[in-house]
């Protein structure tokens, strides 16, 4: 069969799509409820007097109402950058689809939550300090060796001097 | 009934979904009322222009109220349904979803104790680094002193060598001069040796570091 179209149908619609559909459905049903028959029946007295004008007033009313509602929705979408956010969220949700356990949520206690945020920095600092300590220890070990050798040398020299002293007594 | 504050969604969207819905509801409702007033206005104006008209403004007002009541009922029902769908499917973050900005919290779920232990470890490491730095300084200071002491001792040895050479050259003939020379040098030597002994004593104090 047509696997391409089939897969497109089976993929869940994105948030933007659902949003648009839901708003359209709302308008559709609202307009259907506020039908011309209903309008004319409420304004019967006027309708009897001016049937054509009643029709044109109704048409204008409905079209203006729809336009205002659509404009408001567009404004909300623009202000909140909803299109972008919807597609990001769709991606994030898709990536988490194999995960069943509930995810982490802010605990409401800032000191608690900031801990995990700080951990990566502390870990980095720790490995830096460990490295520095290792280097210093190595350096000191070498210098200590030189110091010990120096002491031996000085003891040697002192002995030589003693020996010369004895010779001159 | 507890209301879901949708705090996580608010973190992501930058606004509270319920507040957004409320704003939209209010705006839509305002437009509906506005349009109805316009409709009424147009009709009243038209009726004004018709002489001998039997329809009063209050009649028109009653018509408007009737239609508006009807519209409002459907509007509220339809909006409630729309809001439900939007809050459940669009403006929501499923429970199993973690926002990328929060990954650290799942990566490093450190308890208070674990965090404290990490901080303690860092403090200890810093102290150890400081101790090593101080030890390094002391060691290098001793090396410098050793250099000076060695130089002095080597000078003394050179003196002895020099004396021996002179005695060899002059033999027993210039015994008196040699002896005088010897006493001079001996005095000098003693002073230098005293110096060296003092320095050596100071060095022994450094033994405590090693």
């Amino acid at each position: 069969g047509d696997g391409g179209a089939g897969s497109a149908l089976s993929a869940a619609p994105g948030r933007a799509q659902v949003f648009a559909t839901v708003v359209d459905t709302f308008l559709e049903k609202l307009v259907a409820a506020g039908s011309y028959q209903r309008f004319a029946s409420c304004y019967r007295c006027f309708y009897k007097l001016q049937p054509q004008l009643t029709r044109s007033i109704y048409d204008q009313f409905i079209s203006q109402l729809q336009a205002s509602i659509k404009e408001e929705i567009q404004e909300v979408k623009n202000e909140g950058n909803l299109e972008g956010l919807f597609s990001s969220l769709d991606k994030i949700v898709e990536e988490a689809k194999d995960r069943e356990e509930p995810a982490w949520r802010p605990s409401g206690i800032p000191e608690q939550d900031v801990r995990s945020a700080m951990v990566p920095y502390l870990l980095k600092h720790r490995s830096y300090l460990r490295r520095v300590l290792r280097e210093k220890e190595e350096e000191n070990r070498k210098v200590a060796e030189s110091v010990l050798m120096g002491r031996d040398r000085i003891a040697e020299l002192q002995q030589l001097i003693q020996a010369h002293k004895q010779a001159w007594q | 009934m507890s209301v879901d504050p949708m705090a996580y969604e608010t973190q992501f969207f930058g606004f509270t979904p319920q507040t957004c819905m409320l704003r939209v509801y209010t705006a839509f409702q305002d437009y509906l009322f506005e349009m109805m007033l316009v409709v009424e206005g147009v009709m009243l104006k038209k009726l004004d222009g018709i002489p001998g008209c039997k329809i009063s403004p209050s009649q028109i007002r009653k018509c408007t109220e009737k239609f508006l009541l009807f519209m409002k009922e459907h509007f509220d029902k339809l909006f409630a349904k729309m809001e439900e769908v939007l809050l459940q499917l669009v403006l929501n973050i499923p429970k199993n979803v973690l926002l990328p900005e929060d990954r650290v919290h799942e990566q490093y779920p450190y308890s208070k104790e674990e965090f404290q232990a990490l901080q303690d470890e860092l403090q200890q490491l810093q102290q150890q680094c400081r101790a090593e730095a101080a030890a390094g300084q002391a060691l290098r200071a001793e090396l410098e002193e050793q250099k000076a002491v060695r130089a002095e001792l080597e000078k003394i040895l050179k003196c002895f060598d020099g004396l021996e050479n002179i005695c060899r050259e002059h033999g027993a003939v210039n015994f008196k001069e040699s002896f005088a020379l010897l006493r001079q040098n001996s005095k000098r030597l003693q002073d230098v040796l005293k110096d060296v002994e003092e320095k050596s004593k100071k060095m022994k104090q450094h033994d405590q570091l090693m």
Side-chain angles (χ1 to χ4, degrees):
Chain A
D2 52 331
S7 67
L9 282 171
S10 62
R15 279 168 164 72
Q17 178 72 49
V18 173
F19 186 81
T21 306
V22 164
V23 171
D24 286 344
T25 306
F26 166 79
L27 272 178
E28 229 179 80
K29 297 219 166 111
L30 188 65
V31 169
S35 64
Y36 178 59
Q37 286 86 345
R38 177 66 57 167
F39 184 79
S41 122
C42 289
Y43 286 99
R44 178 165 288 126
C45 49
F46 190 87
Y47 171 73
K48 287 215 191 100
L49 209 58
Q50 297 275 328
Q52 270 175 325
L53 186 57
T54 307
R55 178 80 224 193
S56 94
I57 291 177
Y58 171 80
D59 287 342
Q60 271 231 302
F61 159 74
I62 278 298
S63 88
Q64 190 59 54
L65 183 64
Q66 281 184 300
S68 302
I69 285 178
K70 287 197 180 139
E71 211 179 286
E72 177 68 22
I73 288 293
Q74 192 56 47
E75 219 176 278
V76 169
K77 272 170 46 175
N78 292 346
E79 261 180 48
N81 180 31
L82 290 187
E83 294 279 325
L85 290 178
F86 286 159
S87 104
S88 296
L89 188 51
D90 284 339
K91 262 192 227 135
I92 294 169
V93 169
E94 175 66 22
E95 280 166 10
K97 70 172 182 230
D98 291 327
R99 184 217 168 97
E100 276 178 30
E101 333 84 64
W104 176 89
R105 287 288 183 267
S107 66
I109 307 166
E111 308 89 55
Q112 195 172 309
D113 294 345
V114 87
R115 254 188 261 138
S116 341
M118 284 185 63
V119 167
Y121 296 106
L122 294 187
L123 290 179
K124 238 202 268 199
H125 193 210
R126 182 178 72 175
S127 61
Y128 165 76
L129 285 178
R130 281 179 173 167
R131 181 171 56 84
V132 167
L133 183 60
R134 251 199 318 271
E135 286 171 3
K136 281 208 164 77
E137 282 174 343
E138 181 58 27
E139 207 181 296
N140 285 353
R141 197 182 53 76
K142 292 202 184 110
V143 178
E145 257 178 52
S146 305
V147 166
L148 286 177
M149 286 197 321
R151 287 183 185 179
D152 287 342
R153 177 70 185 139
I154 283 173
E156 230 178 80
L157 290 172
Q158 285 177 318
Q159 279 181 335
L160 279 174
I161 288 170
Q162 272 308 107
H164 280 286
K165 251 173 100 179
Q166 299 290 53
W168 278 92
Q169 287 311 59
Chain B
M1 180 187 97
S2 73
V3 179
D4 177 7
M6 297 185 88
Y8 207 46
E9 286 78 4
T10 307
Q11 178 182 324
F12 177 77
F13 284 106
F15 57 78
T16 314
Q18 297 97 323
T19 308
C20 177
M21 289 287 95
L22 183 61
R23 169 206 165 154
V24 169
Y25 174 83
T26 312
F28 286 9
Q29 199 181 235
D30 286 349
Y31 293 139
L32 181 61
F33 288 176
E34 237 176 77
M35 298 295 118
M36 293 270 49
L37 280 179
V38 169
V39 162
E40 210 183 54
V42 169
M43 289 187 182
L44 287 177
K45 195 150 173 245
K46 185 67 192 189
L47 290 177
D48 251 357
I50 298 176
C53 172
K54 295 215 198 75
I55 304 172
S56 67
S58 68
Q59 263 180 287
I60 296 292
R61 177 39 68 97
K62 280 222 179 63
C63 298
T64 306
E65 282 171 358
K66 196 164 162 212
F67 186 69
L68 191 55
L69 189 66
F70 176 79
M71 284 297 278
K72 184 89 167 51
E73 237 184 77
H74 284 264
F75 171 82
D76 284 346
K77 245 189 274 175
L78 290 170
F79 192 91
K81 248 195 253 171
M82 175 168 80
E83 183 178 24
E84 202 187 315
V85 174
L86 290 181
L87 289 182
Q88 272 181 10
L89 295 184
V90 177
L91 293 175
N92 90 314
I93 301 177
K95 291 276 162 277
N96 66 325
V97 170
L98 179 71
L99 295 179
E101 71 221 39
D102 288 330
R103 283 210 194 106
V104 268
H105 294 109
E106 291 216 326
Q107 251 183 315
Y108 302 112
Y110 272 52
S111 70
K112 201 162 168 202
E113 294 77 24
E114 289 168 323
F115 190 74
Q116 187 60 48
L118 182 58
Q119 283 184 309
D120 291 341
E121 196 183 335
L122 285 179
Q123 218 177 12
Q124 196 188 27
L125 282 172
Q126 277 175 322
Q127 273 178 334
Q128 285 178 300
C129 283
R130 278 196 290 267
E132 282 301 313
Q137 254 186 327
L139 285 171
R140 276 184 282 275
E142 181 170 337
L143 272 184
E144 282 304 302
E145 273 192 37
Q146 283 182 353
K147 242 203 303 212
V149 168
R150 226 184 2 255
E152 289 295 319
L153 292 179
E154 279 163 0
K155 237 198 306 199
I156 293 170
L157 277 179
K158 247 189 153 148
C159 277
F160 273 115
D161 285 341
L163 273 173
E164 279 155 17
N165 284 342
I166 287 170
C167 286
R168 242 174 290 137
E169 280 173 29
H170 289 263
V173 181
N174 262 331
F175 182 76
K176 204 172 180 186
E177 273 183 53
S178 316
F179 195 73
L181 213 61
L182 186 68
R183 293 190 70 178
Q184 257 180 1
N185 286 336
S186 175
K187 180 91 181 40
R188 223 179 339 136
L189 272 173
Q190 272 177 26
D191 290 338
V192 171
L193 272 170
K194 216 193 283 175
D195 245 343
V196 168
E197 266 166 43
E198 276 175 3
K199 287 210 176 115
S200 177
K201 224 185 277 171
K202 249 195 274 170
M203 271 190 338
K204 286 215 170 67
Q205 286 170 7
H206 283 290
D207 261 350
Q208 292 168 21
L209 266 174
M210 302 303 294

